[in-house]
Amino acid sequence: MVDSGRAGFGGLLRYSNGCWIQGFYGRLGDVDILKAEFMGLLQGPKIAWDMHYSNIICVTNSALAMKLIQQPLQPCHAYATLIANIKDFQRKEWSLEFCPSLREGNQCADFLSKRGLHGNVFLVIVDVPPHDMVELWLLLCILLSTTS
């Protein structure tokens, strides 16, 4: 999420049935939306690795970010270091997959990104859904329960 030269990132970890594990968000400096997407795609696996999870699906609504992660690294790309760090997580002894999502399916992550945008901390870990996000979270859980 980018607003007047500032950017935020965010995401969440949940079980396949929708149960909350942990959320995260943070504020970046003057960067574009692609870097914010990469920060979310890096922090999610980093947190999951630290929590010793072994089967991870990372969902993003950024087709460009997914493409750049899935293709061979372009060393001259502006975000080559970030992309390489994400790819390093793919080489670890676990299952890490990146999947596309429609923007509508990513509303909770977008909510947390907005929190990051308006905050002043690089990384905040959230152990329970924020009270003003509970309605969105419940909608996601209902959606997940009807598609299983």
Side-chain angles (χ1 to χ4, degrees), residues 20-99:
W20 181 273
I21 299 172
Q22 209 167 53
F24 62 92
Y25 61 87
R27 180 176 174 193
L28 301 170
D30 185 14
V31 300
D32 62 30
I33 191 72
L34 185 58
K35 183 169 185 179
E37 288 287 343
F38 283 138
M39 288 303 296
L41 292 170
L42 177 61
Q43 290 301 324
K46 191 180 284 191
I47 292 167
W49 178 260
D50 290 345
M51 295 178 79
H52 306 289
Y53 286 97
S54 60
N55 189 12
I56 309 301
I57 297 173
C58 240
V59 179
T60 179
N61 59 5
S62 173
L64 178 57
M66 264 193 57
K67 177 183 171 188
L68 290 168
I69 290 167
Q70 292 173 338
Q71 70 186 24
L73 184 64
Q74 300 171 14
C76 294
H77 191 279
Y79 301 125
T81 302
L82 267 175
I83 297 167
N85 289 339
I86 294 167
K87 287 176 169 287
D88 286 345
F89 276 102
Q90 288 182 301
R91 288 188 282 276
K92 291 186 180 286
E93 303 246 350
W94 69 343
S95 172
L96 174 60
E97 180 182 346
F98 291 91
C99 294

Side-chain angles (χ1 to χ4, degrees), residues 98-139:
F98 291 91
C99 294
S101 169
L102 296 175
R103 184 166 179 82
E104 297 77 20
N106 219 15
Q107 289 181 359
C108 291
D110 286 346
F111 179 95
L112 292 168
S113 294
K114 287 177 187 170
R115 274 266 167 102
L117 174 67
H118 299 293
N120 58 6
V121 178
F122 172 70
L123 181 63
V124 176
I125 302 296
V126 184
D127 291 325
V128 296
H131 71 278
D132 49 345
M133 189 183 109
V134 169
E135 188 176 314
L136 271 179
W137 180 252
L138 290 173
L139 288 173

